[in-house]
C-alpha cells in the first residue's frame, strides 16, 4: 500500500485525523505527514506528484474555510520555520514558510525590524497568512502578501520555483490558497521597529458610519467592533508614536483579556447558545463593558489580541465606499430576522493591491466580518448576510467561511483568467488541490 511509506512520519490523534482551530473543519486524510525540512518535503512531494496524488499543506490550521482539508496527502509544514536571513539596510528578510507570525514578530523586534502592518491574530504561519489574503487595517496599507519581494514555491516535481518582483508568477503565488505548490520561503520587505499608540473608545455607531472616511483617513490603523442589536461601536485607533512605551500592566491584561473578555465572554456565549432569545439583551448589556483605554507598545504587541474563544467567521472584502452601508444593512437584517448572532461584527479597511486573486485586488477595501461561537449554528445566517455582500460585488476572504464557487467568483476578479493560465502552467495535473480549491478555482 502506497500510504504505508509515510507511516514513520504520520502525525495526529486517531492516526490520520486533523481539525482546524475552531474545530468545525476536520478530515481523515489517507496520509498525514509532518516534515522537518525542505529536503524531506521535496522527497515526499516529488513522489506524490509522480504517483498522481493530491497534496495539501497545513500550518497552524487557523483558516475557518476548508482550505486545508484533504482525503489524500496532508503535509504539516510547521517544521520548516525560522528566519533564514535578514538585511537591516534593505529591510529584506527571508522567512521559512512554516514560521508562525508571533515567532517572526519577536525575532524581527530583536533585530530592530518590524512588519508594517499585521492582523489581530498572530498564530498563523506566514505561508498560510499570505496564501489566504490575511490583512490588518489601514487605508494606506495593503494585505500581508503585498510585502513579499520574492517567494519560493515547491512544484509537483519536488523542485523549487523562485518568483521575483515584477513577474506575474509572483502576483499569482502571493495569494493562491496553496494551489500553486508549497511555499517554502518568502522574502519580506520590513520597516524599522516602531511603537504604536492605541486608543480604544466607544462611539455612537451612526457617528462612525457617517464620518467613516475621516476615521479611516485620520488614523494609520482604524477599525471598530459593534454587537448585533446595538448602536455603539468600539473604535480602535492605532498610530505611530515616538513617545516612550506605556504598555498595559500584567494585572490589567489578565483581568481584561483572560478573565473578562475570553473567560467570562466564552461562558456568556455558551449560555446564549442555549437560550437564543436572550441574545439581544445580552448584546446590549455587553456594550456596558466598552470603555476608553490607551496604551503605547511595540507594534506587534499592539496589533495582536489575546484570544481563546473559539468561533467561526465569514469576512467579505467590499469596495471601500460601500462598507458602511453594507454593514448597516447587515445589522438591520440580523435585528429584523432575530438571527442568534451574539458576537461583535468587525470592520477594517485596507489599500488595494495587485495580487491576481487577492480580495482587495485593484481597489481600496472595507472588510466586514461576522462571527459565531463554535457551539452554535452559523450557515443559514451567514448565507443570508453573504447575499447582502454580493450585492456590492463583495469578494470572500479565502481563509474564512463563504458559499461561493468559481463560476460566480470569476467576474469579480479582473485577472482571474491570468491566474488560471499560470496555474495551468505550474500545476497542470492539479497535484496541489482539494475539494475547496476545486470549488473556488475549478
Amino acid at each position: 500500500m502506497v500510504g504505508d511509506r509515510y507511516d514513520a512520519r504520520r502525525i495526529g490523534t486517531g492516526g490520520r485525523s486533523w481539525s482546524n482551530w475552531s474545530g468545525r473543519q476536520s478530515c481523515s486524510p489517507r496520509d498525514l505527514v509532518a516534515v522537518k525540512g525542505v529536503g524531506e518535503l521535496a522527497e515526499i512531494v516529488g513522489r506524490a506528484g509522480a504517483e498522481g496524488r493530491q497534496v495539501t499543506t497545513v500550518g497552524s490550521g487557523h483558516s475557518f474555510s476548508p482550505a486545508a482539508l484533504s482525503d489524500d496527502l496532508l503535509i504539516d509544514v510547521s517544521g520548516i520555520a525560522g528566519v533564514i536571513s535578514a538585511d537591516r539596510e534593505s529591510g529584506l528578510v527571508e522567512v521559512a514558510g512554516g514560521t508562525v507570525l508571533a515567532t517572526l514578530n519577536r525575532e524581527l523586534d530583536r533585530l530592530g525590524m518590524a512588519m508594517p502592518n499585521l492582523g489581530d491574530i498572530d498564530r498563523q504561519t506566514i505561508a498560510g497568512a499570505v496564501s489566504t489574503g490575511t490583512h490588518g487595517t489601514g487605508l494606506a496599507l495593503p494585505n500581508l502578501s503585498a510585502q513579499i519581494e520574492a517567494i519560493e514555491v515547491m512544484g509537483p516535481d519536488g523542485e523549487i520555483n523562485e518568483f521575483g518582483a515584477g513577474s506575474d508568477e509572483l502576483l499569482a503565488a502571493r495569494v493562491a490558497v496553496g494551489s500553486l505548490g508549497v511555499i517554502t520561503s518568502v522574502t519580506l520587505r520590513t520597516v524599522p521597529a516602531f511603537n504604536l499608540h492605541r486608543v480604544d473608545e466607544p462611539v455612537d455607531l451612526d457617528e462612525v458610519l457617517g464620518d467613516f472616511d475621516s476615521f479611516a483617513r485620520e488614523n494609520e490603523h482604524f477599525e471598530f467592533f459593534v454587537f448585533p442589536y446595538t448602536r455603539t461601536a468600539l473604535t480602535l485607533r492605532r498610530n505611530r508614536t515616538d513617545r516612550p512605551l506605556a504598555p498595559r500592566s500584567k494585572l490589567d491584561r489578565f483581568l481584561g483579556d483572560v478573565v473578562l473578555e475570553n473567560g467570562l465572554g466564552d461562558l456568556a456565549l455558551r449560555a446564549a447558545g442555549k437560550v437564543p432569545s436572550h441574545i439581544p439583551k445580552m448584546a446590549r448589556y455587553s456594550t456596558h463593558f466598552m470603555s476608553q483605554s490607551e496604551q503605547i507598545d511595540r507594534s506587534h504587541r499592539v496589533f495582536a489580541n489575546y484570544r481563546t474563544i473559539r468561533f467561526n467567521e465569514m469576512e467579505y472584502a467590499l469596495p471601500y465606499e460601500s462598507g458602511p452601508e453594507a454593514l448597516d444593512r447587515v445589522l438591520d437584517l440580523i435585528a429584523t430576522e432575530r438571527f442568534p448572532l451574539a458576537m461583535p461584527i468587525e470592520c477594517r479597511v485596507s489599500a488595494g493591491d495587485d495580487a491576481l486573486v487577492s480580495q482587495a485586488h485593484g481597489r481600496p477595501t472595507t472588510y466586514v466580518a461576522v462571527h459565531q461561537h463554535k457551539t452554535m449554528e452559523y450557515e443559514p445566517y451567514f448565507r443570508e448576510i453573504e447575499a447582502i455582500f454580493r450585492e456590492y460585488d463583495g469578494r470572500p476572504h479565502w481563509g474564512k467561511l463563504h458559499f461561493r464557487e468559481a463560476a460566480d467568483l470569476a467576474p469579480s476578479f479582473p485577472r482571474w483568467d491570468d491566474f488560471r493560465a499560470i496555474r495551468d502552467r505550474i500545476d497542470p495535473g492539479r497535484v496541489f488541490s482539494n475539494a475547496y480549491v476545486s470549488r473556488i478555482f475549478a
Side-chain angles (χ1 to χ4, degrees):
M1 179 178 173
V2 172
D4 290 341
R5 304 180 194 179
Y6 299 92
D7 282 349
R9 291 182 289 267
R10 186 173 290 140
I11 63 170
T13 58
R16 304 179 185 182
S17 64
W18 179 88
S19 62
N20 72 336
W21 175 83
S22 75
R24 188 72 181 203
Q25 306 293 345
S26 62
C27 63
S28 298
R30 178 178 164 190
D31 288 295
L32 178 53
V33 180
V35 294
K36 301 297 185 184
V38 174
E40 184 180 25
L41 177 67
E43 176 189 351
I44 293 172
V45 170
R47 186 190 311 150
E51 294 173 352
R53 300 187 63 175
Q54 286 195 320
V55 177
T56 303
T57 55
V58 65
S60 61
H62 213 283
S63 285
F64 300 96
S65 70
L69 299 190
S70 173
D71 59 7
D72 196 344
L73 176 57
L74 183 61
I75 302 178
D76 185 322
V77 296
S78 58
I80 303 176
V83 173
I84 298 169
S85 65
D87 183 343
R88 289 187 181 89
E89 184 173 345
S90 67
L92 296 179
V93 178
E94 185 179 6
V95 185
T99 308
V100 173
L101 289 174
T103 304
L104 172 60
N105 293 333
R106 289 192 296 269
E107 180 62 14
L108 289 178
D109 192 52
R110 187 186 68 80
L111 295 168
M113 309 166 84
M115 299 279 275
N117 200 11
L118 289 163
D120 59 2
I121 292 179
D122 59 6
R123 302 302 166 181
Q124 311 97 317
T125 62
I126 184 65
V130 299
S131 292
T132 55
T134 296
H135 59 92
T137 188
L139 192 53
L141 295 159
N143 66 26
L144 270 63
S145 85
Q147 299 170 34
I148 297 176
E149 181 74 16
I151 192 168
E152 292 189 348
V153 182
M154 184 174 291
D157 56 1
E159 297 296 320
I160 292 178
N161 302 304
E162 182 173 356
F163 305 130
S167 69
D168 275 359
E169 287 79 10
L170 176 62
L171 299 181
R174 278 184 7 209
V175 180
V177 201
S179 66
L180 299 184
V182 184
I183 296 176
T184 56
S185 77
V186 295
T187 299
L188 301 166
R189 293 185 297 274
T190 68
V191 297
F194 59 98
N195 296 343
L196 279 177
H197 179 206
R198 170 175 166 170
V199 177
D200 296 6
E201 181 184 14
V203 179
D204 182 87
L205 179 64
D206 291 328
E207 179 183 342
V208 175
L209 297 182
D211 209 13
F212 181 75
D213 190 58
S214 295
F215 278 105
R217 294 187 184 280
E218 291 172 5
N219 296 279
E220 291 176 86
H221 310 273
F222 172 71
E223 66 180 297
F224 67 89
F225 294 85
V226 58
F227 282 96
Y229 304 101
T230 75
R231 300 297 292 183
T232 300
L234 179 63
T235 62
L236 280 63
R237 310 175 212 194
R238 306 180 186 96
N239 292 283
R240 292 193 185 204
T241 182
D242 293 327
R243 292 165 56 187
L245 298 182
R248 297 167 64 196
S249 69
K250 289 183 179 180
L251 179 60
D252 181 53
R253 290 199 305 270
F254 176 74
L255 293 176
D257 297 345
V258 179
V259 176
L260 181 60
E261 183 175 340
N262 288 280
L264 295 179
D266 189 55
L267 290 174
L269 289 166
R270 290 176 183 273
K274 295 179 180 179
V275 191
S277 61
H278 289 180
I279 286 176
K281 182 178 181 181
M282 188 189 80
R284 289 189 288 271
Y285 181 70
S286 296
T287 62
H288 295 304
F289 292 96
M290 293 180 178
S291 60
Q292 184 159 341
S293 65
E294 63 181 300
Q295 60 177 296
I296 299 173
D297 209 338
R298 294 304 252 182
S299 59
H300 67 94
R301 291 197 288 267
V302 174
F303 283 130
N305 292 315
Y306 177 80
R307 188 170 292 166
T308 59
I309 294 176
R310 302 297 173 107
F311 55 87
N312 290 290
E313 179 179 352
M314 176 176 71
E315 182 177 57
Y316 257 74
L318 306 166
Y320 170 69
E321 64 280 359
S322 301
E325 179 180 295
L327 172 58
D328 213 17
R329 286 185 59 192
V330 168
L331 288 168
D332 183 63
L333 175 68
I334 293 171
T336 301
E337 299 297 328
R338 304 290 288 185
F339 287 169
L341 297 175
M343 297 188 69
I345 295 173
E346 182 179 20
C347 183
R348 294 178 284 177
V349 296
S350 82
D353 66 80
D354 54 0
L356 302 187
V357 292
S358 163
Q359 301 92 310
H361 178 89
R363 68 189 191 194
T365 297
T366 297
Y367 294 91
V368 179
V370 293
H371 312 79
Q372 180 70 300
H373 193 268
K374 72 170 189 175
T375 60
M376 300 174 67
E377 180 57 63
Y378 62 80
E379 183 168 339
Y381 319 114
F382 283 13
R383 280 186 178 274
E384 291 201 43
I385 293 169
E386 183 179 62
I388 291 176
F389 293 149
R390 291 187 64 175
E391 291 183 33
Y392 296 92
D393 192 29
R395 301 166 182 161
H397 188 300
W398 299 124
K400 300 181 183 181
L401 295 163
H402 65 94
F403 309 97
R404 309 283 295 279
E405 297 183 357
D408 66 83
L409 285 164
S412 291
F413 295 86
R415 299 201 61 186
W416 186 269
D417 290 340
D418 294 331
F419 177 82
R420 291 199 58 177
I422 291 170
R423 187 176 175 219
D424 288 342
R425 185 167 69 252
I426 292 175
D427 184 22
R430 298 298 190 258
V431 170
F432 300 105
S433 189
N434 58 14
Y436 180 65
V437 168
S438 295
R439 186 186 111 202
I440 61 174
F441 294 146

